[in-house]
């Protein structure tokens, strides 16, 4: 039994409880409120003066796949640049559970993350959800059943393959090749469906197309990298042509089309917010983007799009708040909205009875750069205190 007492509890979905108490047992939240009786055998954390939130959720990361800490000249294991179409790849096969990014992200208050293939390929393969708890191998961290397919448009695929005189060399080449692949996957999936009950009519197994069957059937979400307005529009166009379940990643120039994004009802995973103009499609990055989209009614998540540097995302969210993002929206963008996007809102993203005991305790406002995460709790397992430094 775990008891967190005297804290400012940000439940996300049921308001704020000042001086509240949270009880957890066997990895689940069992009670939350004021003046709750504390069982005699409980492990007690006095959170007086602290903010207690759901464990933070990062919906778009490359944690565990970047070979961190890396040596000069080394590369990550999340971009397979031998082909622009690689849906058969699984980033879990590159995931190192002992990568430093896992522990560093946990120390920042994150309890659940989605790690994805990179954006060099038009179709990069499947990403997966994991808890940031200690583990030796990926199977000890991952949460099965929440895999997603990564797509990418814009500069990255053109640069990765056009430089090799391979398609795609242009944006129209990217769209054409993506359509062609989805068309092939749809034909393959329809043939499988038509052959149900008659194995002799089953199409020849195709290792590359098989992972796209749930995508074209709308049973697996695809996450589409797109920064510029034209790439955002192409992503929406192709997703609608093939009736895909999709979310948009980065959406740097979404600030120019908030009404369109709101009309589409698409979740936008915005970020990273604090990098320089290192390529053309991010020249128009603005800290006002999240606030502008949120005011238009767009569901937003915020991302650091990184490995070990994910730990800085909370302070970058604070910068977005300084640029107009409302506090409630900011908290939802790192808790319940990414939980919904990952299909895990029944387990994480808010402090509610019956949900996983995934909790973060901060000694100040979680999005202030003066604040420290004191404890991170994952399924009732307490990590920390992290400050003062346990070392």
């Amino acid at each position: 039994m775990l008891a967190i007492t005297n804290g400012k509890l940000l439940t996300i979905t049921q308001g704020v409880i000042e001086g509240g108490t949270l009880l957890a047992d066997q990895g689940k939240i069992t009670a939350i409120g004021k003046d709750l009786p504390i069982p005699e055998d409980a492990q007690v954390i006095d959170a007086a003066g602290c903010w207690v939130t759901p464990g933070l959720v990062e919906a778009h990361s490359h944690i565990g796949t970047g070979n961190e800490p890396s040596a000069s000249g080394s590369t990550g294991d999340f971009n397979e640049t031998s082909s622009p179409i690689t849906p058969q790849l699984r980033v879990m096969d590159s995931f190192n559970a002992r990568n430093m990014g896992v522990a560093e992200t946990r120390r920042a208050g994150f309890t659940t993350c989605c790690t994805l293939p990179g954006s060099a390929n038009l179709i990069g393969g499947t990403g997966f959800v994991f808890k940031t708890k200690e583990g030796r191998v990926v199977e000890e961290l991952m949460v099965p059943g929440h895999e997603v397919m990564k797509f990418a448009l814009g500069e990255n695929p053109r640069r990765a393959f056009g430089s090799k005189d391979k398609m795609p060399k242009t944006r129209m080449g990217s769209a054409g090749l993506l359509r062609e692949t989805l068309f092939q996957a749809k034909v393959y999936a329809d043939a499988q469906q038509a052959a149900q009950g008659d194995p002799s009519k089953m199409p020849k197994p195709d290792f590359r197309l098989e992972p796209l069957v749930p995508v074209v059937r709308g049973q697996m979400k695809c996450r589409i990298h797109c920064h510029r307005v034209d790439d955002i529009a192409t992503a929406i166009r192709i997703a609608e042509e093939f009736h895909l379940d999709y979310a948009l990643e980065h959406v740097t120039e979404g600030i120019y089309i908030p009404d369109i994004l709101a009309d589409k009802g698409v979740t936008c995973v915005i970020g990273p917010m604090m990098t320089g103009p290192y390529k053309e499609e991010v020249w128009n990055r603005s800290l006002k983007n999240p606030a502008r989209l949120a005011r238009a009614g767009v569901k937003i998540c915020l991302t650091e799009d990184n490995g070990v540097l994910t730990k800085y995302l909370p302070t970058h969210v604070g910068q977005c708040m300084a640029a107009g993002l409302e506090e409630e929206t900011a908290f939802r963008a790192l808790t319940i909205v990414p939980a919904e996007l990952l299909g895990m809102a029944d387990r994480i993203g808010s402090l509610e009875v019956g949900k996983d005991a995934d909790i973060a305790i901060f000694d100040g406002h979680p999005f202030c750069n003066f604040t420290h995460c004191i404890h991170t709790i994952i399924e009732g397992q307490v990590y920390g205190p992290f400050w003062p430094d346990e070392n």
Side-chain angles (χ1 to χ4, degrees), residues 167-329:
M167 191 174 183
K169 299 177 69 173
T170 62
R171 278 180 162 82
M172 63 180 175
S174 293
L177 186 51
L178 184 55
R179 278 194 181 92
E180 179 184 359
T181 305
L182 291 171
F183 179 83
Q184 292 170 349
K186 182 68 165 56
V187 170
Y188 180 76
D190 289 348
Q192 285 185 334
Q193 186 68 34
Q196 292 297 317
D198 188 352
S200 67
K201 294 183 179 179
M202 271 291 177
K204 181 181 178 181
D206 189 313
F207 190 64
R208 190 185 69 148
L209 293 179
E210 191 67 37
L212 290 173
V213 170
V215 174
V216 296
R217 288 180 177 171
Q219 298 166 345
M220 176 183 284
K221 190 176 293 291
C222 55
R223 311 279 298 274
I224 311 176
H225 166 116
C226 49
H227 285 277
R228 260 175 31 179
V229 165
D230 51 346
D231 296 321
I232 295 169
T234 297
I236 293 170
R237 187 180 312 117
I238 293 176
E240 291 183 345
E241 287 173 15
F242 288 91
H243 307 289
L244 305 179
D245 181 7
Y246 71 105
L248 300 179
E249 312 295 307
H250 309 306
V251 203
T252 299
E253 293 191 355
I255 192 169
Y256 302 123
I257 52 169
D259 54 329
I260 293 176
L261 295 170
D263 181 66
K264 297 300 181 182
V266 59
T267 298
C268 294
V269 185
I270 306 172
M273 300 303 303
M274 304 296 286
T275 59
Y278 62 96
K279 58 180 178 177
E280 181 183 350
E281 60 189 22
V282 302
W283 284 358
N284 292 316
R285 176 174 285 133
S286 171
L287 288 170
K288 297 178 181 179
N289 189 25
R292 187 77 59 84
L293 294 190
R295 284 198 298 269
V298 179
K299 275 192 173 185
I300 64 167
C301 308
L302 293 168
T303 178
E304 192 68 18
D305 182 29
N306 207 280
V308 68
L309 297 184
T310 300
K311 62 185 178 182
Y312 296 124
L313 178 55
T315 59
H316 295 169
V317 174
Q319 292 291 310
C320 293
M321 291 175 62
L325 183 64
E326 294 184 358
E327 182 181 59
E328 180 182 359
T329 304

Side-chain angles (χ1 to χ4, degrees), residues 102-146:
V102 177
E104 289 294 299
T105 303
R106 180 173 64 240
R107 286 172 60 97
F110 290 87
T111 56
T112 305
C113 300
C114 179
T115 196
L116 300 167
S119 55
N121 298 3
L122 287 171
I123 304 180
T126 52
F128 69 97
V129 175
F130 70 96
K131 295 290 188 82
T132 61
K133 56 190 176 183
E134 291 182 348
R136 299 162 298 174
V137 294
V138 62
E139 285 82 2
E140 294 178 349
L141 276 66
M142 73 177 298
V143 183
H146 299 277

Side-chain angles (χ1 to χ4, degrees), residues 1-4 9-14 17 20-33 36 39 52-56 111 131 336 344-361 377-381:
M1 173 69 74
L2 173 67
I4 301 171
L9 307 184
L10 278 70
T11 69
I12 304 300
T13 55
Q14 299 176 10
I17 303 174
T21 297
L22 183 149
L23 303 179
D25 192 29
Q26 297 183 356
K28 299 289 184 180
I29 297 172
T30 57
I32 184 168
L36 298 179
V52 181
T53 75
L56 304 182
T111 56
K131 295 290 188 82
I336 194 63
M344 292 190 62
D346 61 330
R347 292 183 54 181
I348 63 172
S350 61
L351 300 179
E352 297 182 56
V353 172
K355 286 196 173 184
D356 292 358
D358 289 2
I359 303 158
I361 303 175
I377 300 158
I378 305 174
E379 296 174 359
Q381 173 66 47

